[in-house]
Amino acid sequence: MNPIAVFKQTWLEAKELKDASASYCTLATISSSHQASVRTLVLREVNDDSFSLFVNETSPKWQDLTNSKKIEILVFWPSLMQQYRIRGNVSELSRSVMEAHWRKKPYGAKIIDHFYAQKQPQSSVIGSRELLLQGIDELKQKYPSGEEIPYPNNARGISLQATYIEHWKNSPADRIHKRHEYRLTEGNWKEFILVP
Ligand SMILES: Cc1cc2nc3c(=O)[nH]c(=O)nc-3n(C[C@H](O)[C@H](O)[C@H](O)COP(=O)(O)O)c2cc1C
C-alpha cells in the first residue's frame, strides 16, 4: 500500500469536512544547540512522494534547516481523528517552482516577505506594532497593489521526500487505536503494525 496515496485521499476527506486543520501541518526542527522547535505552517502541496512547505530564509526555522535535515512534519485532522508523522529527505524547491507560486501569492503575503528582506528578519524583536505597520506601509508605497512585485530571494521552499510515515487512526469503540508505520525500502513501502 502506498501511504502517500492514502494520505492524499484522507486529506481530501478532511477538506470536504471543512476541517480547519486541513490546510496546515506542524514542522519540527532542531537547532545547532540541539533545541527542538515546532510551529504551524501551511502544507502547500503533496506530490506522489513529497510534501512541500514555504519557509522564509531569514527565519529561525531556516537556520535550523541549514543545521539539520532531521525534521518531522505532523498533521492532525480532528474531523477524522487521524494523525500522520512524516520524515524523509529534505531538498530545496527550485527557483522556478518558487517563482510560479510567488505569482499566485496574495499581496499582503508578498509585502511581508519583502519586510523580512528589507526591514527585519522573521521572528526578530521589534520595538512596537506601530513600527511594524509603518514598515509595512513604506513597502506598500514602494510596491503598490496591482503592480508586479519582484520575487525576493529570501522566499524559499522545501520538499520533504518521505521515507518514513506513521499513521494513527482513532478506534473509538474499543480504544485500541490503529497505528501503522511505513518505511520506504528499495523503492517499496513496507508496512508495520505498531502497539498503540
Ligand atoms: C494557522 C497558522 C499558519 C501559519 N502558516 C505559516 C506559514 O505558512 N509560513 C510561516 O512562515 N509561518 C506560518 N505561521 C507562523 C509560524 O507558526 C511561526 O510562528 C513562524 O513561521 C516563525 O517560526 P520560526 O521562528 O520557528 O522560524 C503560521 C501560524 C499559524 C498559527
Side-chain angles (χ1 to χ4, degrees):
M1 186 209 288
N2 181 335
I4 301 186
V6 177
F7 178 100
K8 284 163 83 170
Q9 181 55 40
T10 317
W11 193 22
L12 218 60
E13 286 172 33
K15 286 179 186 169
E16 279 164 7
L17 289 168
K18 308 224 177 307
D19 192 324
S21 295
S23 306
Y24 308 107
C25 66
T26 304
L27 169 70
T29 57
I30 315 165
S31 75
S32 54
S33 57
H34 313 295
Q35 173 63 56
S37 296
V38 292
R39 77 288 281 159
T40 309
L41 295 182
V42 174
L43 179 59
R44 297 287 167 177
E45 218 169 77
V46 182
N47 298 323
D48 290 345
D49 62 353
S50 60
F51 297 73
S52 301
L53 308 174
F54 294 170
V55 178
N56 196 273
E57 189 194 87
T58 67
S59 70
K61 70 182 102 42
W62 182 262
Q63 283 306 311
D64 284 4
L65 281 160
T66 58
N67 167 60
S68 171
K69 300 280 184 280
K70 289 188 186 295
I71 64 169
E72 185 168 289
I73 292 175
L74 178 139
V75 170
F76 170 50
W77 297 314
S79 62
L80 298 167
M81 286 303 283
Q82 293 193 41
Q83 170 185 269
Y84 277 94
R85 297 168 63 180
I86 302 138
R87 298 179 193 159
N89 302 313
V90 179
S91 58
E92 205 179 325
L93 293 175
S94 69
R95 171 86 181 211
S96 62
V97 167
M98 291 308 294
E99 283 183 355
H101 280 293
W102 177 258
R103 285 192 283 276
K104 291 182 272 172
K105 210 169 187 173
Y107 176 63
K110 287 181 176 173
I111 293 292
I112 281 284
D113 272 331
H114 276 288
F115 186 92
Y116 301 149
Q118 297 178 39
K119 304 286 184 185
Q120 277 195 221
Q122 187 179 24
S123 302
S124 64
V125 173
I126 191 161
S128 65
R129 185 156 179 89
E130 286 66 39
L131 220 57
L132 171 67
L133 296 179
Q134 186 188 322
I136 300 270
D137 270 351
E138 285 167 17
L139 289 167
K140 283 184 173 171
Q141 282 169 33
K142 185 171 176 183
Y143 305 117
S145 172
E147 288 183 16
E148 197 174 319
I149 302 174
Y151 176 81
N153 292 328
N154 62 9
R156 310 288 276 262
I158 59 160
S159 163
L160 178 65
Q161 196 180 2
T163 56
Y164 168 97
I165 294 182
E166 194 213 288
H167 185 203
W168 183 101
K169 201 171 175 179
N170 192 34
S171 180
D174 57 6
R175 303 191 63 80
I176 313 295
H177 308 304
K178 293 173 186 154
R179 281 181 70 202
H180 287 84
E181 182 182 289
Y182 302 87
R183 287 183 183 271
L184 191 63
T185 313
E186 291 166 0
N188 294 309
W189 285 103
K190 282 195 174 168
E191 183 176 350
F192 304 90
I193 296 171
L194 301 182
V195 176

